[in-house]
Amino acid sequence: MVERLVQVRVPLAPTRRDWAHLLEELAGQVDDGRVYDRDLPGLARQLETVLHAYRRRACLTGAPDVS
């Protein structure tokens, strides 16, 4: 039996500063066709979830509403 150390890179969770860039990157990939059509309905559901969360927060904090 031989032991060896194996390093696995684990992506870090995005921070608040990362989200705007990540969403912009996602928009670019959707525009470029790098997201499969079959994945769009699931993506749309998750984006709706994010938008609902934003609107709930905007009501509490006075952040601008987006439509």
Side-chain angles (χ1 to χ4, degrees), residues 14-31 34-35 43 46-51 54 66:
T15 66
R16 63 182 173 81
R17 292 182 178 150
D18 297 326
W19 285 111
H21 174 73
L22 289 171
L23 291 170
E24 183 178 2
E25 177 66 26
L26 176 60
Q29 289 189 21
V30 170
D31 282 341
R34 290 182 280 162
V35 176
L43 181 58
Q46 295 308 314
L47 289 171
E48 282 293 326
T49 301
V50 171
L51 189 54
Y54 176 86
V66 290

Side-chain angles (χ1 to χ4, degrees), residues 4 6 9 12 19 22 33 35 41-42 46 48 50-51 55-57 65:
R4 68 180 193 175
V6 177
R9 295 182 73 187
L12 298 175
W19 285 111
L22 289 171
V35 176
Q46 295 308 314
E48 282 293 326
V50 171
L51 189 54
R55 287 185 174 139
R56 283 191 303 270
R57 178 78 182 267
D65 188 18

